[in-house]
Amino acid sequence: MNQTGQEAERLKRCGLKKTRGRENVMKTLEAAKCPVTAEKIFWELKKQRKEISLSTVYRILGTLVKKEIAKRTGSDENGRAMFELNRHIHRHYLVCLGCHKMIPVEHCPLGELEKRLEQETGFSVTGHSLEIYGYCADCQKQMLTKKKEK
Amino acid sequence: MNQTGQEAERLKRCGLKKTRGRENVMKTLEAAKCPVTAEKIFWELKKQRKEISLSTVYRILGTLVKKEIAKRTGSDENGRAMFELNRHIHRHYLVCLGCHKMIPVEHCPLGELEKRLEQETGFSVTGHSLEIYGYCADCQKQMLTKKKEK
DNA sequence: GTAGATGCAAAGTCTTTGCATGTGT
DNA sequence: ACACATGCAAAGACTTTGCATCTAC
């Protein structure tokens, strides 16, 4: 469902050399389907015996962000930067505060709001970020079972 | 419009001692009206000759967040954590990518979406974050004038 | 008087950078 | 060949923590 070389092509279009590191990082982002930290990518690749250094992961992510292939989204619960592919389909997530799972939401309800705000304020909207927090079904069950948090 | 002692009272309710530092940090958050970094608070107080150490600012913010008097929102363009008072009125911001100004938006259009998502996914929503990015009227003007960005 | 708050400096994290080496075109 | 990518270690930036001192209650 994902022909090899898709990443290579995207890199070439941006005038970037096709390298082992870049392809692997991009594949990992592709596979992730939601925002991940640099370190997560690093360990994911380590697990797959694809050696790379963490600083290179950061450098690659920096490059991808600059080329708008990826984007840096807020930060995780520990303040680490998160990255995801700049997909054409626009997406938001339900973020579980228990297990930090991120569930994609298909529908984006903001277009109309943005149009109104532009008219009212003269602000020119280029994008937005939206995340919805709460507890996933699994974590809700667990919380009912053991009520010995903190 | 803001009687002295409002902060003191809120602290007492949370079982926290009323100290110079805490009151000053809370007043600064109150005055800010939008998310600020620890360092911004630090400099703001310095400007007002209210001496405090940066680590204390961080510690106070940590305490306020734990007590849910304040909350930590994402991070700024440099990855620094931002904090704001946990206001009862729920608010979002238009964030200018040019000058980093943050303009509050009154209307929050997400209640209905959240209800639907809860039904569809079994996720229990406790909150959300929404920020809208773009360029404020001033920055748009400036960009028309000098087109020598990067 | 005592538990908790603060300042300072030191330690911790996460991220970026300098430099020598390796690699894609 | 040469520009650019990478690894490693070191530096940077932001945040947290240990400890002695101070302060609110």
Side-chain angles (χ1 to χ4, degrees), chain A residues 89-147:
Chain A
I89 40 161
H90 178 84
R91 252 208 306 222
H92 302 298
Y93 300 94
L94 296 173
V95 183
C96 178
L97 297 172
C99 61
H100 304 122
K101 196 184 317 178
M102 297 180 82
I103 306 166
V105 174
E106 296 313 321
H107 180 88
C108 170
L110 295 175
E112 206 179 315
L113 171 68
E114 288 180 352
K115 240 174 279 168
R116 216 195 58 227
L117 287 172
E118 290 192 321
Q119 287 168 4
E120 288 176 4
T121 63
F123 196 91
S124 160
V125 174
T126 61
H128 60 247
S129 76
L130 165 64
E131 277 177 0
I132 297 178
Y133 302 105
Y135 293 91
C136 69
D138 293 345
C139 285
Q140 287 174 60
K141 260 181 248 161
Q142 281 187 30
M143 284 165 69
L144 287 176
T145 311
K146 45 165 182 174
K147 287 202 176 181

